Amino acid sequence: MKAIELLETVDFSKGLVPAIIVDAENKEVLMLAYMNKESLKKTINTKTTWFWSRSRNEYWNKGATSGHVQNVLDIKLDCDNDTLLIEVEQVGAACHTGSRSCFFKNVEF
């Protein structure tokens, strides 16, 4: 699917869609954020991740202030057209805590 087709295929009818960010090399899940059509368009055009911040009500380009950018290598769309899986080359930490991944809290069973 071409990038222009992706913009028209993603189902934004409920607003934001989840974007799961994974390391392209080892498939580690780095983070989950949300996108609207404009942030997806910015991501496609710049080949770096752009998200919609629900808490700040604004766009944010991952790594713009920290330098921990995410270079987009591939974007996949799920079967329902409402979730994105974005494979990136992660520069530095993905998490604002400084951790490589936002998923570092283990739950014991």
Side-chain angles (χ1 to χ4, degrees):
M1 170 182 314
K2 296 194 185 281
I4 192 75
E5 293 173 276
L6 177 65
L7 285 170
E8 298 309 316
T9 305
V10 176
D11 181 4
F12 291 107
S13 65
K14 296 179 184 117
L16 302 173
V17 297
I20 303 162
I21 311 303
V22 299
D23 184 299
E25 185 177 328
N26 62 20
K27 307 306 182 208
E28 177 184 20
V29 176
L30 299 173
M31 60 182 283
L32 175 117
Y34 294 89
M35 291 184 158
N36 60 19
K37 191 171 188 174
E38 185 59 28
S39 61
L40 178 56
K41 184 176 179 181
K42 287 174 178 274
T43 296
I44 291 167
N45 289 337
T46 65
K47 295 183 177 53
T48 62
T49 53
W50 283 82
F51 305 107
W52 178 256
S53 170
R54 298 177 301 161
S55 59
R56 295 187 313 265
N57 243 4
E58 65 182 12
Y59 293 102
W60 60 284
N61 179 221
K62 179 67 177 150
T65 56
S66 68
H68 298 169
V69 297
Q70 296 174 332
N71 298 307
V72 176
L73 301 178
D74 192 30
I75 301 175
K76 292 177 173 50
L77 183 59
D78 80 329
C79 58
D80 294 324
N81 295 336
D82 63 0
T83 302
L84 297 164
L85 179 67
I86 303 178
E87 294 187 13
V88 301
E89 172 193 47
Q90 178 67 49
V91 177
C95 185
H96 73 281
T97 66
S99 180
R100 171 110 176 118
S101 169
C102 292
F103 298 94
F104 59 88
K105 297 178 182 179
N106 291 325
V107 177
E108 293 181 28
F109 289 92

